[in-house]
Amino acid sequence: MNPPSIIFHIDMDSFFSSVEVRENPALRGRPVIVGSDPKGGEGRGVVSTCSYEAREYGIHSAMPISKAYRLCPDAVFLPVNMQLYHQVSKNIMEILKSCVSAFQQVSVDEAYMDVTGIVSDYEKAEKLARKIKNHIKSAEGITCSIGIAPNKIVAKIASDYEKPNGLTVVRPDSLCDFLYPLDVSKIPGVGTKTRMTLENMGIKTIGDIGKCDIQLLIAKFGKSGIRLKQIANGTYSSELLRHRLVKSISKEVTFEEDVADINVVKKTLAMLSEQVHARLLRKGFVFKTVNLKVRFSDFTTYTRSVTLSAYSNDKMSIYRTALRMFSKFEGMGIFRLVGIGVSNLVKMDERQKRLDDFFDAEQFKGMANCSFPAHKE
Ligand code: TTP
Ligand code: MG
């Protein structure tokens, strides 16, 4: 059975206003409202966002700016400087992207990361999250909140749980403990209408949904009822949409005619190593496992794999490891097909160097040709 996934949801705190405070530290601690011109209470636009100090007055995103003005006329009102926020967003997303191969940006200030292949357990995940938070703070001067959970939706609920500057870890064995006491409105997508329908069914908490008869939920919400129930029990998982995890890179060749000559097969393996290596570099990954596939003329097929002690991006490591595995098949028959692959991949590119900041020095011990943390075993 696969180990549970470890998903991060990262969301900047009061994003636009935090950037404004960074630009003008004198605003720190004050209610700051970013949005359209309040025009002394006559403005017709809305609040884009506001600092947590302004939220204490009941002000929130999408509220009419005139109302925000009435609630707190002494707040600092600032216009939206989208160009600046986009630049900060881009910088932050670059930092996050450099950590993982599975990354999905979902809005200007939030993203998911699948770190399953990078850390081996939730304790290490928490340490990584702290380092990411510190890194964003020192590079871009703003704070974020991170939720860690076995799936995206719980990670998102978790990132919201201790905002601002929060870090909430929901381990696979505590999903229901975390979810059940929460109000149904904490489920992303559950708005006023759904909340009212649920309330009319006597359902207030996520736990009430979790324990509700599935047929009742289906009768009210159709297919979405099934989804609601899965979310409530922490079993709903959807894949990260962009930058899906690349699991392996491989190439194989079926010979025009079956081959008995070992030297021909070895030459083919050298060529395949070359091709796999080129693709590995193009995609910006490093590998830890080398896979060999051999098919004989009678179609019997074998696969073998060897996991190295450290990550590598070295062509000769691919070839030599494949040859070592291949030597066991010499003399066993006539070859129809050979293939080479690499798996256990993690991202390595120029930006990767920033990762050095995120991981403990000892994790780098025994590294081959790159600076990437050792993969979990
Ligand atoms: P959010 O992440 O929803 O809010 P936030 O970052 O301001 O605050 P939080 O700490 O609760 O995450 O949205 C990100 C940015 O998107 C926000 O700073 C401004 C913009 N935005 C709008 O312009 N209008 C809106 O209605 C919302 C919700 C956000
Ligand atoms: Mg935010």
Side-chain angles (χ1 to χ4, degrees):
M1 209 177 80
N2 288 334
S5 296
I6 308 178
I7 309 292
F8 284 11
H9 180 256
I10 298 126
D11 190 302
M12 302 307 126
D13 301 319
S14 55
F15 183 48
F16 293 2
S17 58
S18 298
V19 175
E20 294 295 347
V21 173
R22 174 193 88 171
E23 295 296 296
N24 181 1
L27 301 180
R28 194 169 299 285
R30 295 191 58 189
V32 175
I33 298 170
V34 178
S36 57
D37 188 346
K39 296 185 178 158
E42 302 297 316
R44 290 164 53 84
V46 293
V47 173
S48 288
T49 193
C50 59
S51 64
Y52 276 77
E53 289 81 359
R55 293 181 196 199
E56 286 177 18
Y57 294 83
I59 299 165
H60 56 78
S61 294
M63 172 182 274
I65 199 82
S66 55
K67 185 170 178 192
Y69 188 83
R70 277 201 304 284
L71 289 169
C72 187
D74 294 334
V76 177
F77 288 87
L78 297 170
V80 176
N81 182 351
M82 213 54 206
Q83 210 183 336
L84 173 63
Y85 314 141
H86 267 301
Q87 187 53 54
V88 178
S89 167
K90 203 164 154 248
N91 298 346
I92 290 168
M93 295 304 158
E94 287 295 316
I95 292 173
L96 299 178
K97 258 188 247 173
S98 69
C99 296
V100 283
S101 49
F103 167 86
Q104 180 189 357
Q105 181 175 353
V106 277
S107 79
V108 70
D109 83 328
E110 62 180 314
Y112 292 101
M113 286 163 56
D114 185 339
V115 301
T116 317
I118 296 198
V119 289
S120 54
D121 58 40
Y122 275 70
E123 210 172 300
K124 293 199 181 81
E126 187 173 339
K127 279 191 190 153
L128 171 61
R130 284 194 198 289
K131 288 181 180 175
I132 290 174
K133 277 163 69 70
N134 290 340
H135 193 81
I136 290 174
K137 181 77 172 72
S138 59
E140 292 299 323
I142 65 172
T143 61
C144 66
S145 298
I146 301 185
I148 307 176
N151 61 57
K152 279 167 67 177
I153 198 137
V154 179
K156 186 169 169 69
I157 296 171
S159 76
D160 194 47
Y161 189 69
E162 290 177 283
K163 258 184 174 294
N165 203 9
L167 174 56
T168 302
V169 185
V170 185
R171 289 179 170 73
D173 57 2
S174 60
L175 280 162
C176 291
D177 290 343
F178 171 72
L179 291 168
Y180 274 18
L182 301 177
D183 190 273
V184 293
S185 60
K186 295 291 176 193
I187 298 176
V190 170
T192 316
K193 204 170 145 223
T194 308
R195 213 186 69 228
M196 295 301 280
T197 312
L198 288 167
E199 206 169 302
N200 289 336
M201 296 167 72
I203 292 174
K204 279 193 154 54
T205 65
I206 295 182
D208 294 336
I209 301 177
K211 290 177 230 154
C212 182
D213 182 348
I214 185 73
Q215 295 307 334
L216 282 176
L217 291 168
I218 293 171
K220 282 281 177 206
F221 303 104
K223 265 193 195 159
S224 307
I226 302 174
R227 191 168 154 261
L228 264 181
K229 175 110 173 159
Q230 289 172 332
I231 291 170
N233 287 319
T235 57
Y236 183 82
S237 66
S238 56
E239 261 190 71
L240 270 61
L241 291 182
R242 268 165 279 157
H243 305 277
R244 271 168 215 256
L245 202 60
V246 177
K247 291 207 167 84
S248 63
I249 293 171
S250 59
K251 281 265 173 193
E252 59 183 42
V253 164
T254 303
F255 297 114
E256 291 284 321
E257 283 173 28
D258 295 348
V259 171
D261 186 341
I262 293 298
N263 288 324
V264 172
V265 182
K266 285 184 178 172
K267 268 195 192 143
T268 307
L269 290 174
M271 178 196 78
L272 291 171
S273 307
E274 191 104 27
Q275 292 174 352
V276 165
H277 182 250
R279 253 172 77 191
L280 182 82
L281 292 191
R282 250 196 333 271
K283 288 187 178 288
F285 287 105
V286 292
F287 66 92
K288 207 171 173 194
T289 301
V290 181
N291 309 295
L292 176 77
K293 182 170 167 184
V294 171
R295 179 168 294 149
F296 289 101
S297 52
D298 64 358
F299 280 87
T300 51
T301 305
Y302 297 87
T303 54
R304 293 287 180 271
S305 59
V306 164
T307 297
L308 309 175
S309 59
Y311 279 98
S312 174
N313 60 359
D314 176 32
K315 185 165 61 185
M316 285 315 284
S317 296
I318 303 176
Y319 180 54
R320 282 203 211 98
T321 311
L323 267 193
R324 228 171 50 232
M325 290 187 274
F326 177 72
S327 64
K328 307 280 191 306
F329 295 103
E330 287 180 28
M332 273 177 64
I334 298 170
F335 297 95
R336 178 181 170 82
L337 170 154
V338 284
I340 287 183
V342 286
S343 56
N344 228 329
L345 304 178
V346 286
K347 197 87 176 160
M348 148 92 176
D349 59 20
E350 276 312 295
R351 292 164 306 186
Q352 197 59 55
K353 292 182 186 73
R354 296 189 196 175
L355 261 182
D356 297 2
D357 298 328
F358 293 146
F359 292 90
D360 296 329
E362 68 260 28
Q363 285 186 274
F364 291 93
K365 279 183 193 159
M367 295 297 295
N369 290 305
C370 61
S371 54
F372 203 88
H375 193 279
K376 64 178 185 154
E377 290 302 319

